[in-house]
């Protein structure tokens, strides 16, 4: 396809062709579980190496236009060795990222997707891990890229962590969650939502309940 033809396309046409051309992302990252066990995973580099040349070809530029920390805490993990208990503090961070895909030939035309990334680290790398995870999956989901894996085929393991502060389920709704919910629930709809949840005002809602409501809203939005 000639460049002049590509320049005339809208952002949806370009992203559709990018999806078709990339197809499957190969796993190039080997993750070690122990000295004898390991598995292959898709790294950020795998995704970028697969996406960047094709985005360049079809003249699309993608980048994280906005980030916001929506949850953070210190997690404690206890381990026992020879009767001695050792506690390890690990920083947990959840970041909401708005990722934008821009038509280079018409910069006012773009598509945005909201993704979430979690980071766990005993040092200072939790924010970087959360951002990397979010960016990687923004590209994978926007272009419908397959790795051949299904994360739902195995149950999530219990990792022995507990929160150092109060549980998320007891924490109050965040300002960002209030803002998002109020975009969809206004007037009588908001009143009904509060009544169903036995609340006097939105600020009394728990962060876990707000997350549940937003997840359903985003799922309905994606289905349309």
């Amino acid at each position: 396809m000639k460049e002049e033809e590509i320049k005339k396309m809208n952002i949806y046409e370009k992203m559709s062709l990018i999806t078709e051309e990339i197809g499957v992302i190969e796993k190039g990252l080997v993750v070690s579980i122990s000295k004898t066990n390991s598995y292959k995973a898709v790294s950020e580099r795998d995704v970028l190496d697969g996406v960047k040349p094709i985005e360049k070809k079809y003249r699309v530029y993608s980048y994280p236009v906005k980030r916001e920390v929506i949850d953070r805490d210190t997690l404690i993990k206890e381990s026992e060795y020879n009767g001695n208990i050792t506690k390890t503090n690990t920083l947990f961070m959840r970041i909401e990222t708005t990722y934008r895909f821009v038509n280079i030939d018409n910069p006012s035309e773009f598509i945005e997707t909201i993704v979430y990334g979690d980071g766990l680290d005993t040092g200072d790398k939790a924010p970087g891990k959360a951002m990397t995870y979010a960016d990687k999956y923004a590209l994978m989901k926007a272009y419908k890229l397959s790795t051949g894996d299904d994360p739902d085929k195995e149950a999530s393991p219990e990792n022995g962590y507990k929160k150092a502060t109060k549980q998320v389920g007891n924490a109050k709704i965040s300002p960002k969650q209030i803002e998002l919910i109020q975009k969809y629930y206004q007037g009588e709809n908001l009143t009904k939502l509060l009544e169903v949840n036995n609340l006097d005002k939105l600020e009394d809602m728990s962060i876990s309940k707000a997350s549940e409501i937003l997840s359903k809203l985003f799922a309905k939005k994606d289905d349309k």
Side-chain angles (χ1 to χ4, degrees):
M1 182 176 293
K2 295 181 180 180
E3 185 173 300
E4 289 305 313
E5 293 179 287
I6 293 173
K7 288 182 177 181
K8 295 177 182 178
M9 293 179 177
N10 62 44
I11 186 64
Y12 298 99
E13 291 172 317
K14 292 183 176 185
M15 290 186 69
S16 177
L17 288 173
I18 291 172
T19 296
E20 184 178 342
E21 188 156 331
I22 297 175
V24 177
I25 295 292
E26 297 296 330
K27 302 174 185 178
L29 179 67
V30 177
V31 181
S32 297
I33 302 174
S34 64
K35 291 182 179 180
T36 56
N37 294 322
S38 64
Y39 65 91
K40 284 190 174 182
V42 175
S43 69
E44 182 187 36
R45 180 175 180 177
D46 294 331
V47 175
L48 292 178
D49 286 351
V51 169
K52 286 171 63 177
I54 314 302
E55 280 191 330
K56 181 179 179 181
K57 175 181 176 179
Y58 289 103
R59 302 176 62 76
V60 171
Y61 182 73
S62 60
Y63 67 104
V65 68
K66 181 182 177 183
R67 298 192 195 276
E68 183 174 349
V69 177
I70 61 171
D71 194 12
R72 68 170 74 195
D73 211 318
T74 300
L75 306 182
I76 299 174
K77 187 172 185 179
E78 296 183 353
S79 57
E80 183 177 352
Y81 181 72
N82 286 341
N84 296 317
I85 296 177
T86 302
K87 292 184 178 181
T88 303
N89 290 336
T90 300
L91 175 63
F92 162 76
M93 184 171 289
R94 176 167 293 156
I95 292 178
E96 178 186 272
T97 298
T98 301
Y99 214 86
R100 179 176 292 183
F101 300 81
V102 183
N103 183 353
I104 293 175
D105 298 302
N106 181 12
S108 63
E109 184 182 60
F110 58 83
I111 295 173
E112 290 184 346
T113 182
I114 296 177
V115 291
Y116 298 88
D118 291 354
L120 276 175
D121 195 72
T122 54
D124 59 358
K125 296 182 177 65
K129 289 181 177 180
M131 288 188 288
T132 296
Y133 186 96
D135 291 359
K136 178 174 68 173
Y137 277 92
L139 293 169
M140 291 178 65
K141 295 305 180 183
Y143 291 126
K144 302 177 183 178
L145 305 181
S146 171
T147 64
D149 281 341
D150 187 342
D152 291 329
K153 69 181 180 181
E154 294 179 0
S156 298
E158 294 294 332
N159 55 21
Y161 285 106
K162 62 181 180 180
K163 287 210 168 189
T165 58
K166 60 183 178 181
Q167 296 296 311
V168 173
N170 297 325
K172 295 299 182 183
I173 186 172
S174 71
K176 181 61 177 179
Q177 289 177 319
I178 291 175
E179 178 187 340
L180 290 171
I181 288 177
Q182 287 178 334
K183 286 183 179 179
Y184 296 92
Y185 290 92
Q186 298 176 4
E188 186 177 345
N189 288 334
L190 179 58
T191 300
K192 289 181 179 179
L193 178 69
L194 295 176
E195 288 177 353
V196 168
N197 291 279
N198 297 316
L199 298 172
D200 293 325
K201 57 182 184 296
L202 191 55
E203 288 76 7
D204 292 334
M205 183 177 288
S206 70
I207 193 170
S208 59
K209 186 62 182 179
S211 297
E212 177 187 333
I213 292 171
L214 289 170
S215 295
K216 291 179 180 178
L217 286 172
F218 292 146
K220 289 180 181 178
K221 187 177 178 182
D222 290 340
D223 290 339
K224 293 182 179 179

